[in-house]
Amino acid sequence: MTDLGGKIAIVIGAAGDHNMGQVIARALAAAGAKVIVSGRKREPASEIGGEAVTCDLTRRADVDALFDGAAARHGQVDIAINATGWGLMKPWADVTDEDLATMVALQFTGVHHMLNACLRAMTGGGSVIQISSATTQCLIHDHAAYIGTKAGSEALIRCFANQYGPLGIRANVVSPGLTATPMAAAAVATPGLEAAFAREYPLGRIGTADDIAHAVLWLCDDRSFVTGQNIQANGGLTLRRNPRPEEIAASVGAAMAAQAQ
């Protein structure tokens, strides 16, 4: 069992109700960590016995204040997890310059901000985890801006792990597939859509936020001799592929037709 007693953990992207970041934060707290949850909205952290700090990952000043403040209050930061993301799905030709700028700021520049802040706050080493996506390996249509910036964040983690491993900092990526979270709720609720995806998962189902939290806990354990890796916590999806648009449409159509009978 993972024991994180005495560890100071920051989870960015935990301000949405029941989102992946919140589930991860609860798992860390249950393992004994003192957890600081953050996001663009201030979320009460009393239920996990932690702290809440407002932070927009795209703003360097916010990220610096989050990490420097935590280090000042607690001595250092031991665990840093970025669970932010914007699941933009839009036809390639319809993606605007504003869309691209927002995506790059959140999913690439913001990750760089976090890693830079970790260098100051993780004076005793620790574990950094970036939540990415199986789609960087198993492509899906109309998702290129998301996939491209997530892939960029994975490259940042590899560079960070290579350069700063001598400081005792482990840096890794966890990559879910389609996961039953608030961000994906509308899609998962579409009749037939989940079934189209589940067929491509060797373990027979899409993921849950708890699945991702378990992978995160393993990487946070000081006994984990792992760095610079991309843990594919997606039930084997990357052994196969995401369904094609016509396969999704057929599955949704069949499910709706069955409901109409």
Side-chain angles (χ1 to χ4, degrees):
M1 182 175 179
T2 301
D3 181 4
L4 300 179
K7 301 291 188 184
I8 305 301
I10 292 176
V11 182
I12 306 173
D17 191 29
H18 300 297
N19 71 1
M20 189 178 292
Q22 276 198 6
V23 173
I24 290 170
R26 292 189 189 104
L28 294 174
K34 177 76 171 180
V35 182
I36 301 162
V37 297
S38 71
R40 284 181 289 184
K41 298 181 294 182
R42 190 175 185 87
E43 186 74 13
S46 58
E47 66 180 89
I48 60 171
E51 304 171 14
V53 178
T54 303
C55 176
D56 182 342
L57 187 66
T58 67
R59 297 179 42 140
R60 183 188 292 267
D62 278 17
V63 179
D64 287 348
L66 171 63
F67 280 83
D68 294 346
R73 291 191 302 276
H74 302 290
Q76 69 174 50
V77 173
D78 304 291
I79 296 166
I81 298 162
N82 178 31
T84 61
W86 177 32
L88 177 68
M89 294 199 75
K90 201 173 188 181
W92 193 297
D94 295 340
V95 175
T96 66
D97 287 350
E98 290 75 16
D99 290 335
L100 289 173
T102 299
M103 191 68 77
V104 170
L106 179 63
Q107 295 193 167
F108 184 81
T109 307
V111 178
H112 198 284
H113 292 340
M114 178 190 73
L115 294 173
N116 190 57
C118 285
L119 284 177
R120 296 190 307 276
M122 289 186 155
T123 54
S127 178
V128 180
I129 300 169
Q130 166 69 25
I131 304 299
S132 185
S133 170
T135 57
T136 66
Q137 306 295 317
C138 298
L139 302 179
I140 193 166
H141 290 196
D142 296 334
H143 214 32
Y146 176 91
I147 292 169
T149 47
K150 282 293 189 182
S153 75
E154 293 173 8
L156 290 178
I157 289 290
R158 291 181 68 237
C159 292
F160 190 84
N162 179 58
Q163 188 164 349
Y164 297 111
L167 299 182
I169 302 176
R170 307 182 307 280
N172 293 285
V173 173
V174 174
S175 289
L178 179 63
T179 308
T181 64
M183 187 171 78
V188 171
T190 303
L193 186 138
E194 183 176 343
F197 280 83
R199 282 192 287 269
E200 300 297 342
Y201 288 68
L203 292 185
R205 64 171 177 83
I206 68 169
T208 68
D210 284 331
D211 294 326
I212 307 310
H214 287 310
V216 166
L217 282 177
W218 175 66
L219 289 172
C220 288
D221 194 315
D222 285 339
R223 296 170 294 181
S224 179
F225 190 56
V226 177
T227 196
Q229 303 305 305
N230 189 337
I231 306 302
Q232 298 291 332
N234 48 52
L237 173 64
T238 47
L239 297 172
R240 299 180 181 176
R241 60 178 176 84
N242 275 306
R244 296 187 178 93
E246 60 271 20
E247 294 168 336
I248 297 171
S251 182
V252 170
M256 288 186 169
Q259 284 186 350
Q261 291 179 353

